[in-house]
Each structure stands twice: as C-alpha cells, then as structure tokens.
C-alpha cells in the first residue's frame, strides 16, 4: 500500500504505513501550502535540487524529526550549511540506494540546480508495492523512454506549469515516452506565471497516452491503487 498526500506545488508525502517519505518540502514560503513545516512528520526527505521552491524547509524538518536527507552532494552541502550534523545519503545520477522502505534511484532532469556546480535530478521510488517516478523540475527529454523501460512504473509525478518546466503538451508527451499508466501533475498554479488548466492537461494526456491523470487538490490524501 502507498498513500500519497499533496502539499501543493511539488511537495508530497508518501507513506507505506510504516515509513514516511517527504519530497521537495516547499512549505513556509508556499502561498498554497495547507500545512506548516513544523507540522510535518517524516523519516526520509528527497530533494531534487536547491531552488527554494524545492529545497524549501528540508534542513529544518530533518533537524526536528531526525529524518534522513537524500539528494546530490551539492544540495546536501547547502543543507549542512543551514543546519549542521544532519543525517545524509548522497547520491548522483544513475545511483541507487536501498532504504528501509524499499529503494530510490536518482534520474536525470534537464533543469538548473540552484547551487554552483550541482545538477538537478528526479527519483524513481520503490515503496509500498508501487514504483513511482518523480521527474522533479525538468524539460521534456527523449531518455524518459529509458526510465519507463528500465522501471515498470505505476505512477509518474510530472511538472506541467511551463515557463520553468515542461508545459501541458510536453508533459503529455513525457507520459507517452514513459508509457506509464498513471500520472499526477504538479508544479502549477502556485503563482500566475505557472498557472495552467489542469483539466486540459488531463484531456490531452488521456487522449494521446494510456495514462489516467489523477488531479490532486492541495491537502488531498489518497491511496495509490
């Protein structure tokens, strides 16, 4: 079983009933966040890059909860600068890490990193009997097809906001390349510059792929079937 809770923008929590994994915890400065950073409980925090709308409150949440951070070495150094002595698992592109809940593999993302010398990434997460791909902030790239070929994905969490990431059409093509049966759109409608009609995204994606698009309201919690 895998429970998905959406906290707005690109932040979400995964729970298998025993472990909780928080992803890109942008809460304090998120105008749409339904919860405060000091209200979140988790065991692991995955961070795709160091832009403030993804790194967010990760070091402070890790310090309070004892959660272990998973990211690139450069992003973890930023966390260490803010709060020294945090538990860390550095990874780089293509690397995998076995954790108590399952496995995490770091994937390519085509995006700036938010830290000098760093790279942005995505994650394939094996948890609760499901395989979920979170693209992070990224442009469309053809090697998404390889991600879908390597991992029998159940879900893909894809940005659709345009301007800083893929827009609607590219994100629909990403779902096609991944050949994934379920898509959860994120990274839209936080600010006017990334406003999108998510219903239109659902229409075009379901018309051109085998995917069902699951639109989560902010704060919504659902079991992933």
């Amino acid at each position: 079983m895998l429970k998905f809770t959406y906290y707005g923008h690109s932040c979400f929590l995964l729970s298998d009933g025993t472990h909780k994994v928080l992803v890109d915890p942008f809460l304090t400065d998120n105008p749409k966040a339904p919860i405060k950073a000091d209200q979140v409980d988790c065991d692991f925090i995955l961070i795709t890059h160091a832009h403030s709308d993804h790194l967010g409150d990760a070091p402070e949440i890790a310090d309070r909860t004892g959660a272990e951070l998973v990211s690139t070495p450069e992003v973890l150094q930023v966390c260490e600068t803010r709060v020294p002595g945090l538990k860390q698992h550095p990874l780089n592109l293509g690397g995998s890490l076995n954790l108590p809940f399952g496995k995490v593999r770091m994937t390519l993302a085509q995006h700036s990193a938010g830290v000098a010398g760093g790279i942005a990434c995505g994650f394939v997460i094996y948890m609760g009997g499901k395989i979920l791909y979170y693209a992070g902030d990224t442009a469309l790239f053809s090697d998404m097809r390889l991600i879908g070929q390597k991992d029998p994905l159940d879900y893909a969490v894809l940005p659709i906001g345009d301007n800083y990431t893929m827009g609607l059409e590219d994100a629909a093509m990403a779902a096609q390349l991944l050949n994934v049966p379920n898509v959860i759109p994120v990274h839209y409608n936080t600010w006017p510059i990334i406003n999108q009609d998510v219903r239109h995204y659902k229409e075009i994606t379901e018309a051109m792929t085998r995917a069902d698009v699951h639109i989560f309201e902010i704060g919504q919690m659902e079991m992933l079937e």
Side-chain angles (χ1 to χ4, degrees):
M1 118 182 151
L2 186 61
K3 184 186 297 181
F4 184 102
T5 305
Y6 184 43
Y7 289 137
H9 200 58
S10 294
C11 179
F12 57 93
L13 182 74
L14 300 173
S15 174
D16 63 3
T18 302
H19 301 98
K20 294 179 179 178
V21 177
L22 183 65
V23 182
D24 281 353
F26 172 52
L27 297 169
T28 295
D29 295 320
N30 181 350
K32 302 291 182 70
I35 192 169
K36 297 184 182 299
D38 62 7
Q39 297 175 303
V40 177
D41 183 32
C42 59
D43 305 295
F44 298 90
I45 302 174
L46 309 185
I47 311 164
T48 58
H49 62 293
H51 287 152
S52 60
D53 61 327
H54 292 262
L55 175 62
D57 302 286
E60 292 74 22
I61 294 172
D63 186 46
R64 176 178 58 81
T65 63
E68 302 178 34
L69 298 169
V70 180
S71 193
T72 60
E74 293 82 6
V75 171
L76 293 177
Q77 183 56 49
V78 173
C79 295
E80 180 70 16
T81 300
R82 277 171 47 176
V83 182
L86 300 174
K87 299 175 186 175
Q88 300 183 0
H89 292 286
L91 275 178
N92 219 313
L93 298 182
S96 297
L97 179 66
N98 291 317
L99 292 167
F101 62 82
K103 185 174 76 170
V104 170
R105 185 167 67 85
M106 184 174 281
T107 62
L108 175 69
Q110 296 285 5
H111 190 71
S112 56
V115 59
I119 52 172
C121 73
F123 293 102
V124 174
I125 305 164
Y126 286 69
M127 185 177 186
K130 300 295 181 184
I131 304 174
L132 181 146
Y133 166 56
Y134 170 47
D137 278 9
T138 190
L140 176 68
F141 58 97
S142 61
D143 281 355
M144 285 181 173
R145 187 185 304 277
L146 297 179
I147 295 172
Q149 288 176 351
K150 178 176 172 58
D151 298 287
L153 302 174
D154 297 298
Y155 283 82
V157 180
L158 302 177
I160 68 166
D162 213 344
N163 197 82
Y164 299 114
T165 69
M166 299 185 289
L168 303 187
E169 292 79 9
D170 283 5
M173 188 171 291
Q176 188 177 58
L177 290 173
L178 292 162
N179 192 29
V180 65
N182 298 282
V183 171
I184 300 171
V186 297
H187 204 282
Y188 66 96
N189 292 1
T190 313
W191 303 285
I193 198 168
I194 57 170
N195 280 355
Q196 294 292 335
D197 181 351
V198 68
R199 298 289 173 184
H200 182 55
Y201 174 69
K202 178 179 174 70
E203 290 172 1
I204 62 175
T205 302
E206 292 183 349
M208 65 184 286
T209 77
R210 72 186 186 103
D212 291 326
V213 175
H214 305 267
I215 300 171
F216 276 72
E217 300 297 329
I218 294 174
Q220 183 177 346
M221 176 192 307
E222 294 288 344
M223 298 299 301
L224 300 186
E225 301 296 335

